Amino acid sequence: MKLWNKESGEKMRILLVEDEVRLSEALVYTLKKNNYIVDAAFDGVTGLEMAETGIYNVIILDRMLPGAEGLDVLKALRKQGITTPVLILTAKDTIKDRVEGLDSGADDYLIKPFSKNELLARIRALGRRQTETIVNEVIKIGNIVFNSLKGEIHMNGKITKLSSKESQIFEILAKNKNRVVAKEQILERIWGFQSDVELNNIEVYLSYLRKKLVLSGCSLVIETIRGSGYCIKEVYSHVSEA
């Protein structure tokens, strides 16, 4: 399943982590004007927490941040296996600084000050790279293999087909295994900010999805964390020996 497709009109979602408020506001305005969905964080700790949800197509990350330095945020994401393309923004322009950023897991590097056209071009390039990766993505979770492009759960030669919305919800939860994903995050990621879909409608799709997981015989369960959201976990059945 593609997270963004220019032809189908699906929007990329970008996380901007920048502590300079005026610059952040200007970038948010520019990105939204160019049809991107944008969330903003102003410190490294908040930026890391938001990035860990795995719902973003591209992360724009300032290097010098309060709370946690940009490269520390980047290293933490890569250590967790989060491969979202990251564009580093920085005033540091030495070769050593660039190499350090790229070696920490950055996909691109943009020196301040920069033109908005160059920023947009680099985001488009990262978006294409992310789309190409996700098109062929297969997620292994628990004792199943999930084909996100086809919306299929494979287990022991058995295939369980998911609907489009079930597949999108499952993908978000699978990428955040053992982490709570808020209802609002699922709603915004799949239906968008302007959607009239109510939060309770997510429960309908989750009900169908849970039944299909049970029928597939897999080791995964989706728990409802009251007041917070949902979390997918692996459970094991213990059979006592005679």
Side-chain angles (χ1 to χ4, degrees), residues 149-167:
L149 177 60
K150 296 181 179 179
E152 295 176 347
I153 291 175
H154 294 248
M155 178 179 169
N156 297 330
K158 179 182 178 181
I159 298 177
T160 301
K161 185 71 177 178
L162 304 182
S163 70
S164 175
K165 288 294 186 290
E166 291 166 358
S167 180

Side-chain angles (χ1 to χ4, degrees), residues 9-235:
E10 294 178 53
K11 294 184 179 182
M12 283 180 61
R13 184 162 190 167
I14 296 174
L15 172 62
L16 172 64
V17 190
E18 168 61 64
D19 65 319
E20 295 181 39
V21 177
R22 291 182 64 182
L23 175 58
S24 177
E25 291 176 346
L27 292 177
V28 169
Y29 174 80
T30 296
L31 293 170
K32 288 185 175 180
K33 188 176 179 180
N34 283 271
N35 210 34
Y36 294 112
I37 298 172
V38 189
D39 294 329
F42 300 96
D43 64 83
V45 175
T46 303
L48 177 59
E49 292 175 350
M50 295 173 70
E52 286 174 337
T53 63
I55 66 173
Y56 298 99
N57 302 97
V58 172
I59 298 171
I60 302 173
L61 181 65
D62 185 33
R63 179 158 177 171
M64 303 300 293
L65 292 167
E69 206 265 354
L71 292 191
D72 291 333
V73 172
L74 178 56
K75 291 175 183 177
L77 292 175
R78 297 304 187 234
K79 187 175 182 180
Q80 294 179 51
I82 297 174
T83 59
T84 307
V86 173
L87 170 62
I88 293 287
L89 301 181
T90 183
K92 296 185 175 183
D93 59 357
T94 68
I95 297 297
K96 179 181 178 182
D97 291 323
R98 297 187 193 188
V99 170
E100 185 179 11
L102 294 170
D103 283 346
S104 296
D107 296 271
D108 203 352
Y109 214 82
L110 191 56
I111 305 299
K112 297 178 180 179
F114 50 83
S115 74
K116 67 177 182 181
N117 288 333
E118 182 178 7
L119 174 64
L120 292 171
R122 290 174 183 255
I123 290 173
R124 288 193 295 270
L126 292 176
R128 287 193 296 271
R129 188 183 310 174
Q130 175 74 341
T131 300
E132 290 167 359
T133 300
I134 292 174
V135 164
N136 299 309
E137 185 172 73
V138 171
I139 301 172
K140 294 182 179 179
I141 176 171
N143 58 352
I144 68 168
V145 173
F146 173 59
N147 187 312
S148 60
L149 177 60
K150 296 181 179 179
E152 295 176 347
I153 291 175
H154 294 248
M155 178 179 169
N156 297 330
K158 179 182 178 181
I159 298 177
T160 301
K161 185 71 177 178
L162 304 182
S163 70
S164 175
K165 288 294 186 290
E166 291 166 358
S167 180
Q168 291 178 66
I169 293 172
F170 184 75
E171 182 175 2
I172 293 173
L173 295 175
K175 287 182 175 180
N176 290 278
K177 180 183 176 184
N178 296 323
R179 291 198 294 261
V180 178
V181 180
K183 276 187 178 182
E184 292 79 7
Q185 290 176 330
I186 296 175
L187 182 67
E188 293 169 3
R189 179 65 193 86
I190 298 176
W191 285 277
F193 286 102
Q194 306 303 320
S195 175
D196 292 328
V197 175
E198 296 181 1
L199 290 174
N200 288 339
N201 289 2
I202 297 176
E203 285 286 355
V204 175
Y205 289 102
L206 279 167
S207 176
Y208 296 144
L209 183 54
R210 286 183 173 115
K211 290 177 181 177
K212 289 183 178 180
L213 289 178
V214 171
L215 291 174
S216 73
C218 75
S219 61
L220 300 170
V221 295
I222 300 173
E223 296 184 353
T224 297
I225 310 301
R226 189 173 298 277
S228 298
Y230 307 98
C231 180
I232 194 166
K233 296 182 178 179
E234 190 170 4
V235 294

